[in-house]
């Protein structure tokens, strides 16, 4: 508490204004993002009421849409809570040794079914001789980070494509690459994709059920572990996200 007050004393008025503006923009963005699904829910509930007696088949379709939209809203709230917690942490609390390779194996096993359904090849490749990559951190957060990256790779790759996860050591860092042969990201949009709520294609993201928060969560988790994440992509050819983590 005392530390916080000391820090606050050193914040310049300009900095304070900037931080307040970021906060206001965030609240405005969140309200906007919540309003859209809330409106959809209201409209779907009204449609359901209107059709339930006369057209039960149509009513069932509205009910299914209502469920999907509720799930989207719930994902958005979960992501927002995760992001807020990660932002306030700055560093992983109570870090423990985590074997990154076993985290990756868990993520790949979970994603296999979704990939198969889309006819996407999901592959793991190790580079170098090391079999264990240990970092000091939070296993749940690391699982969530790689799940987000692999999930995006599968989501933004058309059927018949390939997603490859490679892991190994480069100097004192553990390096994990998630590459796909998907739609890619236009060069001009690359600098913004780690921003909260940023989506390259809003309409498409709505279809895939994205919240636009996944990559901000990835960035915060990497940074809270003392690491970083980078992206390379060519529109129409694919993307590679690389996570660098210090060895623990
Ligand atoms: P979303 O929930 O919309 O997927 P993310 O924060 O995870 O949000 O990603 C932000 C945006 O970056 C996405 O909307 C998409 O446009 C783009 N993106 C992320 N990963 C990929 C990928 N592997 N291939 C192509 N585009 C991607």
């Amino acid at each position: 508490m005392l530390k916080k007050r000391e820090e606050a004393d050193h914040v310049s008025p300009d900095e304070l204004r900037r931080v307040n503006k970021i906060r206001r923009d965030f609240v405005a963005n969140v309200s906007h993002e919540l309003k859209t699904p809330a409106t959809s829910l209201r409209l779907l509930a009204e449609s359901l009421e209107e059709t339930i007696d006369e057209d039960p088949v149509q009513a069932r379709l509205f009910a299914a849409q209502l469920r999907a939209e509720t799930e989207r809203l719930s994902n958005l709230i979960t992501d927002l809570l995760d992001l807020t917690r990660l932002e306030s942490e700055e560093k992983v609390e109570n870090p423990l040794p985590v074997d990154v390779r076993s985290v990756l194996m868990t993520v790949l096993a979970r994603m296999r079914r979704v990939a198969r359904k889309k006819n996407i090849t999901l592959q793991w490749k190790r580079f170098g001789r090391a079999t264990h990559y240990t970092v000091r951190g939070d296993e749940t957060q690391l699982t969530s980070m790689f799940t987000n990256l692999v999930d995006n790779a599968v989501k933004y790759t058309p059927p018949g494509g390939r997603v490859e996860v490679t892991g190994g050591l480069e100097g004192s860092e553990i390096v994990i690459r998630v590459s796909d042969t998907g739609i890619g990201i236009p060069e001009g949009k690359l600098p913004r994709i780690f921003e909260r709520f940023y989506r390259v294609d809003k309409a498409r993201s709505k279809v895939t059920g994205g919240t636009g928060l996944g990559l901000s969560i990835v960035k915060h988790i990497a940074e809270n572990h003392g690491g970083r994440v980078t992206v390379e992509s060519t529109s129409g050819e694919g993307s590679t996200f690389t996570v660098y983590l210090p060895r623990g």
Side-chain angles (χ1 to χ4, degrees):
M1 194 64 210
L2 183 67
K3 193 161 172 278
K4 278 227 168 88
R5 204 168 301 141
E6 276 170 13
E7 277 167 8
D9 286 346
H10 289 99
V11 174
S12 70
D14 274 356
E15 179 65 6
L16 208 58
R17 258 194 296 276
R18 198 182 68 84
V19 171
N20 281 336
K21 184 176 176 338
I22 292 175
R23 221 170 262 160
R24 273 197 313 275
D25 288 351
F26 183 54
V27 174
N29 277 338
V30 170
S31 312
H32 176 77
E33 295 289 335
L34 291 174
K35 205 168 171 357
T36 312
T39 307
S40 300
L41 289 182
R42 183 174 54 76
L43 292 174
L44 286 166
E46 284 170 10
S47 307
L48 188 59
E49 274 172 358
E50 281 162 17
T51 49
I52 198 147
D53 291 329
E54 264 115 69
D55 193 349
V57 176
Q58 184 60 48
R60 203 162 289 138
L61 289 177
F62 286 135
Q65 286 174 29
L66 197 75
R67 186 149 53 90
E69 201 62 31
T70 310
E71 199 174 309
R72 223 175 84 78
L73 184 62
S74 146
N75 287 344
L76 178 58
I77 293 168
T78 309
D79 278 2
L80 269 173
L81 289 172
D82 284 352
L83 189 61
T84 310
R85 191 172 41 80
L86 287 166
E87 280 182 338
S88 64
E89 253 180 37
E90 281 181 19
K91 233 167 66 183
V92 176
E93 281 165 13
N94 311 318
L96 292 171
V98 182
D99 177 13
V100 176
R101 189 177 174 278
S102 95
V103 168
L104 290 170
M105 292 307 109
T106 307
V107 171
L108 288 172
R110 277 188 205 159
M111 292 302 301
R112 199 135 268 143
R113 198 172 52 89
V114 187
R116 200 176 303 135
K117 242 174 133 179
K118 250 189 107 176
N119 191 26
I120 287 172
T121 320
L122 188 54
Q123 261 184 338
W124 155 253
K125 260 194 199 160
R126 170 164 67 95
F127 61 88
R129 262 173 290 161
T131 49
H132 289 283
Y133 319 122
T134 310
V135 297
R136 289 188 66 77
D138 179 319
E139 187 165 343
T140 309
Q141 286 187 20
L142 292 167
T143 306
S144 157
M145 174 171 74
F146 291 119
T147 302
N148 264 308
L149 290 176
V150 178
D151 184 51
N152 275 349
V154 172
K155 213 160 64 175
Y156 298 108
T157 298
R162 203 177 64 248
V163 172
E164 201 174 84
V165 180
T166 60
L169 299 175
E170 282 178 14
S172 62
E173 288 180 314
I174 297 169
V175 181
I176 294 101
R177 291 199 170 83
V178 180
S179 312
D180 64 60
T181 58
I183 59 171
I185 301 157
E187 203 183 336
K189 312 255 165 133
L190 278 176
R192 297 200 57 192
I193 60 163
F194 292 101
E195 287 175 21
R196 327 174 174 107
F197 298 123
Y198 187 79
R199 297 141 175 145
V200 173
D201 180 345
K202 274 227 168 207
R204 189 192 176 94
S205 183
K206 195 164 166 19
V207 175
T208 54
T211 62
L213 292 175
L215 287 180
S216 324
I217 291 176
V218 166
K219 181 170 174 271
H220 278 286
I221 294 176
E223 287 174 359
N224 287 4
H225 281 80
R228 65 195 188 283
V229 54
T230 63
V231 57
E232 285 162 82
S233 186
T234 309
S235 212
E237 287 185 17
S239 313
T240 299
F241 287 82
T242 309
V243 176
Y244 299 84
L245 296 169
R247 279 175 90 176

